[in-house]
Amino acid sequence: MGELVLAADLGGTNLRMAAVGPSGEIAERVRRSTPHSDDPMVIVDAIGEMATEIQAAVGAKRLTLAIGVAAPVIMDARNGSVYKAPNLPAINGFNFAGELSKKLGLRVILENDATAAAIGEHWLGAARNVENAICVTLGTGVGGGIILSGQPLRGPDGTAGEIGHICVEPNGHPCGCGSWGCLEQYSSAMAVVRIARELTEEKDRSWPGGMTAEKLYEAAKAGDDIAIEAFRRLGYYLGIVLASLINVVDPDMIVLAGGLSGGWDVFIDETCGQIAKRAFRLPALRAKLVRAELGDDAGILGVARLALETPDQGLLES
Ligand SMILES: [Zn+2]
């Protein structure tokens, strides 16, 4: 019986896979660009090829019969089918876990990527030994994962923890989820660029070259007033949501993950100011606000943990 599990992170841009041991050690890893096609089986086939590569590298006997897959999806945890995948429309409504299981002959544990990151950070990262943690992933969008009493909060449908879709402006910018004014439309990389563009137009200014969150971060550090204001708004809306979450969940820790968390020096003061103004004093004092520690590996390690917890009893019958 093998001691390694396969773990994959299916992103909108990159597809990564690793063989992971019982303590989270990564024995082998492969990556490729996420294939974009109308046919969801193209993604299933790519994952199959990568699993074969890893099997060849580490030896099939060292692998258990389970694979964890983190994906940017709202899914039905009861049957592993995808309810909504805004960045991977090909797998909308697709029975992803079922088809992948058939293809690979393995048990497939599909998990929302932000929940997977929360599980990873709780296992081996910033939230180690923490009972109650909220993980907010600030990337292209805003993801959320909640650990309560050491366990991930999923809800009966598997859709719990969608912090990015908490409404902060009732009549605000339309969101990919179908609602308006969600946090994701104000506190993500995509949002900070849109807001900076809007401010540039309002002030009748021009911006040299393409605008990205990274360039805006550099501009904010250099004192550009538009970039500073775009990040202040990001921090403002994030603080409003974190204050509400502190009041509702009473967490020991809030972990900020994702690419934007690396630049938190340009928005965290505003976030903390909003928390101080709005949250109940006692839980706000308790909740430690920290940056994630596992970087890009949080999701892979999170689903590896789930796969390691899955009994190695062969294939699903259904
Ligand atoms: Zn939304």
Side-chain angles (χ1 to χ4, degrees):
M1 195 170 289
E3 80 280 14
L4 302 174
V5 291
L6 288 171
D9 188 346
L10 170 62
T13 311
N14 291 309
L15 174 53
R16 300 181 304 127
M17 191 184 290
V20 182
S23 307
E25 65 277 23
I26 291 181
E28 182 70 27
R29 59 165 93 221
V30 290
R31 82 187 291 160
R32 57 170 74 178
S33 296
T34 302
H36 284 274
S37 160
D38 293 339
D39 180 2
M41 286 307 289
V42 172
I43 293 176
V44 169
D45 291 343
I47 293 175
E49 288 165 20
M50 291 166 83
T52 307
E53 276 174 53
I54 289 193
Q55 254 177 10
V58 302
K61 281 189 183 155
R62 292 183 66 200
L63 290 163
T64 70
L65 293 173
I67 178 170
V69 181
V73 296
I74 299 171
M75 52 165 207
D76 188 335
R78 292 166 298 194
N79 59 16
S81 65
V82 174
Y83 167 65
K84 200 161 187 152
N87 297 321
L88 293 166
I91 59 171
N92 274 340
F94 182 60
N95 183 1
F96 192 81
E99 291 298 327
L100 190 60
S101 181
K102 260 194 251 167
K103 171 89 187 175
L104 299 181
L106 300 174
R107 274 173 192 273
V108 175
I109 302 101
L110 181 66
E111 183 61 272
N112 169 270
D113 56 355
T115 300
I119 294 168
E121 289 290 339
H122 179 248
W123 183 27
L124 297 166
R128 291 184 303 281
N129 306 318
V130 170
E131 279 285 289
N132 306 292
I134 294 172
C135 186
V136 184
T137 306
L138 304 171
T140 309
V142 176
I146 299 174
I147 305 286
L148 284 183
S149 305
Q151 294 299 317
L153 177 72
R154 295 196 180 91
D157 299 307
T159 63
E162 287 291 340
I163 292 164
H165 300 283
I166 291 175
C167 182
V168 291
E169 284 287 354
N171 298 306
H173 199 265
C175 185
C177 73
S179 184
W180 300 264
C182 297
L183 179 66
E184 179 161 288
Q185 299 305 322
Y186 299 89
S187 298
S188 62
M190 168 184 75
V192 82
V193 169
R194 188 198 75 241
I195 290 166
R197 279 212 186 98
E198 288 166 3
L199 290 168
T200 307
E201 276 170 32
E202 269 170 37
K203 294 181 183 236
D204 208 15
R205 292 245 302 268
S206 62
W207 181 273
M211 194 186 270
T212 62
E214 290 82 6
K215 286 182 184 168
L216 282 166
Y217 172 74
E218 294 304 330
K221 295 287 280 179
D224 181 273
D225 58 340
I226 286 178
I228 289 170
E229 175 60 13
F231 277 106
R232 189 198 66 76
R233 291 190 195 181
L234 180 156
Y236 168 78
Y237 287 108
L238 180 64
I240 290 174
V241 164
L242 294 186
S244 298
L245 287 171
I246 285 169
N247 286 356
V248 171
V249 175
D250 190 9
D252 300 295
M253 181 177 278
I254 295 173
V255 182
L256 294 188
L260 276 178
S261 67
W264 84 347
D265 51 327
V266 294
F267 63 81
I268 202 67
D269 287 350
E270 181 70 27
T271 303
C272 290
Q274 292 304 319
I275 292 171
K277 269 189 210 165
R278 294 169 190 270
F280 299 145
R281 190 168 171 273
L282 213 54
L285 286 173
R286 166 183 296 279
K288 263 170 87 180
L289 185 57
V290 300
R291 273 193 282 203
E293 291 179 2
L294 300 179
D296 283 348
D297 282 339
I300 277 208
L301 290 170
V303 287
R305 170 79 178 188
L306 297 177
L308 285 161
E309 286 171 346
T310 304
D312 197 5
Q313 296 167 343
L315 301 185
L316 289 169
E317 296 304 319
S318 55

